[in-house]
Amino acid sequence: MKYICLGYFDEKQWEALSETEQNTLMDECFAYDDVLRKNGHFAAGEALQSPRNAATLRWTNGNVSITDGPYAETKEQLGGILVLEARDLNHAIQLISKHPGVKVGPFEIRPVEDLSAMVAESERRRSKERKAS
């Protein structure tokens, strides 16, 4: 089963680390990612740029409103995602609890929702609408 692991970090805490400390932590993270890959648990992963480069879209009064930055007003911001293959949530927790990235911020782990039946039903409805028009 796939799990999305959202890694959060405090940008100010990160910037307070020396270059050596940053490099050491990143090397540890990448080494553990290699272990996850080798054992078939790492399905995908991406780091995110700074929240300063983000935009948040909301539906407000019938229109899309756009604001700079992330929605959350917290010091810890989303830093990246990892798609993990695990037997169950406990297995995902065991795997991520060993990830060195936990040292700089929490990880949220959520099971992936299988929307294939919903997508197929939507495609069926939309196909009928196209044929009717």
Side-chain angles (χ1 to χ4, degrees):
M1 179 169 200
K2 282 191 171 78
Y3 290 85
I4 303 295
C5 306
L6 305 171
Y8 292 84
F9 81 112
D10 179 343
E11 198 168 30
K12 289 181 182 174
Q13 179 187 6
W14 173 256
E15 291 169 354
L17 296 175
S18 71
E19 184 177 351
T20 300
E21 291 170 318
Q22 289 178 352
N23 289 339
T24 298
L25 181 58
M26 293 310 301
D27 291 349
E28 291 172 352
C29 288
F30 294 143
Y32 188 65
D33 289 349
D34 288 342
V35 169
L36 292 172
R37 273 186 202 88
K38 178 181 172 201
N39 293 314
H41 299 298
F42 190 103
E46 295 292 340
L48 299 175
Q49 290 186 9
S50 168
R52 292 184 295 260
N53 300 335
T56 297
L57 283 62
R58 290 184 193 80
W59 187 255
T60 308
N61 299 323
N63 294 302
V64 174
S65 83
I66 304 167
T67 56
D68 291 338
Y71 177 70
E73 296 295 329
T74 65
K75 66 180 183 172
E76 291 170 337
Q77 299 294 332
L78 186 59
I81 64 167
L82 188 152
V83 181
L84 191 69
E85 285 284 350
R87 291 184 305 274
D88 54 31
L89 182 58
N90 286 332
H91 186 218
I93 290 168
Q94 290 171 0
L95 293 168
I96 292 301
S97 68
K98 297 174 186 168
H99 199 291
V102 174
K103 296 175 187 175
V104 293
F107 272 77
E108 179 181 342
I109 303 171
R110 291 192 201 179
V112 169
E113 185 69 46
D114 180 4
L115 297 179
S116 55
M118 189 182 294
V119 169
E121 182 61 23
S122 175
E123 288 172 351
R124 186 190 62 74
R125 287 191 305 268
R126 290 179 284 140
S127 176
K128 280 184 178 179
E129 289 173 9
R130 283 190 294 271
K131 288 177 184 176
S133 51

